[in-house]
Amino acid sequence: MIVEVLAVGTELLLGQIVNTNAAEIGSRLAEVGLDHYRQTVVGDNLDRMIDALMASVRRSDAVIVTGGIGPTQDDITREAMAAAADVDMMFSDEFAVLLRERWAASGREMPESNLRQAEYPEGAEMLANPKGTAPGLRMLIHGTWVFALPGVPAEMLPMVDEHVLPFLVSRAGGEEAVLVSTVIRSWGRAESQISEICADLFEDSGNPTVAFLASSGEIKVRLTAHASDEEAARALLQPVVDEVVSRIGHTVFAIDGPPTEEMVLDLLRERGWTMATAESATGG
């Protein structure tokens, strides 16, 4: 099953808020073995939201939309879903009552704009949000399951765990699969050199997959296997790990280990040594 994430919010495009939701959702999808190839961010514009949603629907089995289901005028994810599905917007009198009761219990008067949260596209199912007032939505659009969740992480993540992942796993075959990654860390060769040495492994990779990552002077080779459980995934990984290590040899300093700076500090502590640093080029 292929799952995409569509984050809604102009504030994300402007860099006013960092999109941590996508990383958290991606991690959770990997844990249950669901394929995740794309993440998209779109601003609060109805036409562009419809286009982005339709593109995601055409190429995936499920889409998780975060943001745009609040009570204000720029919260238009519900309308975008209705337009994509070519259905009318409906109103839940039952949820409107729950909203009023919730506000009354807090001792505050509810702004009428909050009733926007009782609207939903025809055919969508409302999903309980125990930590907020905006209900999530689940809807089948042109054969693809679309989930609309709040953008606030504290509200969104529990709903992913409770409503989204179990539903998708059941549709993907009923048994949870896993994705397991191993990172081989090396130092002393360029990324291009490592990629040439392991070119055939990359070209032939299917399961496990092979990727090369460069960062802060070290080159990492990430191997990822998809299997029914962790033991089976690691059994797939081990022969490829052994082959990569045999090829790049002495430049490997860790497998799934800490970064180089932590390793240096650990070695210093083992010896009881201290380290001093000095800087003068910029005057601090």
Side-chain angles (χ1 to χ4, degrees):
M1 174 174 283
I2 299 173
V3 185
E4 284 200 25
V5 175
L6 175 60
V8 174
T10 302
E11 66 277 11
L12 298 171
L13 295 174
L14 297 176
Q16 296 169 340
I17 296 178
V18 176
N19 185 17
T20 59
N21 285 347
E24 292 284 357
I25 294 173
S27 175
R28 283 163 162 77
L29 292 173
E31 287 175 0
V32 297
L34 297 174
D35 293 321
H36 179 46
Y37 300 150
R38 290 182 178 87
Q39 297 176 353
T40 305
V41 179
V42 64
D44 301 307
N45 176 277
L46 184 59
D47 290 337
R48 290 193 287 272
M49 286 175 63
I50 295 169
D51 288 344
L53 181 56
M54 288 299 296
S56 295
V57 163
R58 282 193 294 267
R59 63 190 175 213
S60 59
D61 301 303
V63 182
I64 302 173
V65 184
T66 62
I69 59 172
T72 60
Q73 293 88 337
D74 59 350
D75 290 314
I76 49 178
T77 294
R78 291 176 289 260
E79 287 82 354
M81 292 173 64
D86 194 22
V87 297
D88 294 328
M89 290 293 293
M90 309 296 287
F91 186 85
S92 171
D93 293 315
E94 180 181 358
F95 188 77
V97 171
L98 291 176
L99 271 176
R100 294 186 186 281
E101 290 176 348
R102 192 163 186 172
W103 277 83
S106 68
R108 296 176 295 166
E109 183 177 350
M110 186 187 78
E112 288 301 302
S113 61
N114 273 72
L115 290 176
R116 279 177 50 79
Q117 295 173 322
E119 297 176 358
Y120 63 97
E122 185 179 6
E125 177 184 351
M126 287 186 166
L127 304 175
N129 176 4
K131 294 185 177 295
T133 58
L137 298 171
R138 181 175 67 209
M139 183 179 186
L140 195 61
I141 299 180
H142 304 306
T144 294
W145 286 106
V146 177
F147 296 82
L149 304 177
V152 179
E155 298 181 27
M156 182 274 296
L157 291 174
M159 297 179 71
V160 168
D161 293 336
E162 181 176 352
H163 296 297
V164 180
L165 294 181
F167 182 87
L168 294 181
V169 166
S170 68
R171 294 303 186 278
E175 293 185 6
E176 290 192 60
V178 297
L179 285 177
V180 177
S181 292
T182 287
V183 177
I184 301 169
R185 311 173 77 102
S186 69
W187 202 6
R189 283 195 175 103
E191 182 182 16
S192 57
Q193 291 176 308
I194 298 292
S195 68
E196 286 184 359
I197 293 171
C198 300
D200 60 311
L201 298 178
F202 174 79
E203 292 165 1
D204 296 337
S205 66
N207 187 25
T209 58
V210 180
F212 308 105
L213 312 170
S215 61
S216 302
E218 69 174 275
I219 306 301
K220 298 185 281 286
V221 181
R222 186 190 66 221
L223 310 174
T224 304
H226 187 171
S228 58
D229 55 54
E230 183 173 349
E231 183 179 358
R234 295 204 178 278
L236 290 171
L237 283 172
Q238 195 57 54
V240 188
V241 171
D242 294 341
E243 182 63 24
V244 171
V245 171
S246 71
R247 293 188 185 193
I248 60 180
H250 67 278
T251 61
V252 175
F253 66 85
I255 299 175
D256 291 329
T260 52
E261 59 270 24
E262 291 186 21
M263 296 183 69
V264 170
L265 288 173
D266 288 340
L267 291 170
L268 291 172
R269 292 188 188 99
E270 289 176 8
R271 290 163 173 75
W273 293 359
T274 58
M275 179 175 65
T277 62
E279 186 277 332
S280 62
T282 64

